[in-house]
Amino acid sequence: MNVDEFVNANEPKEGGESFQLENGKLLDIDLDGSVTTKTGSMVAYSGDISFEGKSSAEGGITGFLKEKATGEGTDVMEATGTGHLYVADQEKKIQLIELDAGDEISVNGNDVLAFESSVNYEIRTMKSIAGFSAGGMTNVFLSGPGSVAITTHGEPLVLQPPVRTDPSATVAWSGNLSPGNYVDKSLSNMIGSSSDETYQLDFSGSDGFVVVQPYEELAPQQ
């Protein structure tokens, strides 16, 4: 294609949504106010937008950070102003979820890309899942109303309980669910694990949903 065709094929799409996908891996945020995004996710912006980093794990919006001991700390930043903010995360696919009032979703901190200022959040550490990581597993609980953008390696699969999942492949679940810890020694023996035990998340009941991805997102080595 010539230069004009290239520009026309790849220029931003027109639309009235505050969160709009330019493609499967790039999010356009039509900003008029403030939004919270993952630090380092900004690839471009236009207009009058300022950024404030959040690097403390104590209090306020900075509670979004996971415990440093887990090696899964996720810094966030607040973008404020008017204009278009373009964000992405390592070519991961972006999934847009519109939360109504009363809707709640629990998301792995590393998989949250952005959420609107109208969305409330809370950090919860589930001690019952201590087998997966020392001290338990920490997730971000987001409640509506408002738009949320999460990321997945590849296309997600949404399952209904009862189901057991690999913690490293589990992206999110509905807020009404509270997973337990399940140990499958036969599986660990079959795959040759050195730990003698394989930990899984155990979702029981018949309501809600669980989001998994075709990829094991392991925590960085300390």
Side-chain angles (χ1 to χ4, degrees), residues 45-189:
Y45 69 92
S46 62
D48 182 14
I49 300 176
S50 61
F51 301 90
E52 180 182 0
K54 306 289 185 179
S55 59
S56 169
E58 300 297 332
I61 201 168
T62 57
F64 187 80
L65 297 181
K66 287 190 173 183
E67 295 291 336
K68 292 296 183 181
T70 68
E72 298 177 355
T74 301
D75 292 340
V76 297
M77 61 184 180
E78 188 174 46
T80 304
T82 57
H84 284 266
L85 173 61
Y86 303 94
V87 295
D89 184 15
Q90 304 294 316
E91 288 193 300
K92 293 170 69 176
K93 292 189 69 68
I94 300 172
Q95 318 295 332
L96 294 183
I97 302 173
E98 185 68 28
L99 298 177
D100 293 331
D103 288 345
E104 184 179 59
I105 186 171
S106 172
V107 187
N108 184 305
N110 192 49
D111 299 319
V112 177
L113 179 63
F115 55 90
E116 291 185 301
S117 59
S118 60
V119 173
N120 294 316
Y121 79 97
E122 181 181 351
I123 313 305
R124 301 179 193 171
T125 301
M126 291 158 285
K127 300 294 185 181
S128 63
I129 315 177
F132 173 53
S133 61
M137 185 176 182
T138 306
N139 265 34
V140 183
F141 283 71
L142 303 168
S143 57
S147 297
V148 173
I150 67 174
T151 58
T152 59
H153 288 275
E155 296 292 347
L157 178 66
V158 179
L159 302 169
Q160 292 184 326
V163 65
R164 291 174 182 149
T165 66
D166 181 339
S168 298
T170 306
V171 175
W173 57 82
S174 53
N176 64 303
L177 294 177
S178 181
N181 184 31
Y182 180 77
V183 179
D184 192 333
K185 293 185 178 181
S186 64
L187 179 59
S188 67
N189 293 335

Side-chain angles (χ1 to χ4, degrees), residues 183-198:
V183 179
D184 192 333
K185 293 185 178 181
S186 64
L187 179 59
S188 67
N189 293 335
M190 191 167 61
I191 64 176
S193 172
S194 60
S195 68
D196 294 330
E197 294 180 338
T198 296

Side-chain angles (χ1 to χ4, degrees), residues 193-213:
S193 172
S194 60
S195 68
D196 294 330
E197 294 180 338
T198 296
Y199 290 95
Q200 300 165 16
L201 300 182
D202 185 15
F203 296 90
S204 59
S206 57
D207 296 325
F209 61 88
V210 182
V211 183
V212 296
Q213 62 185 2

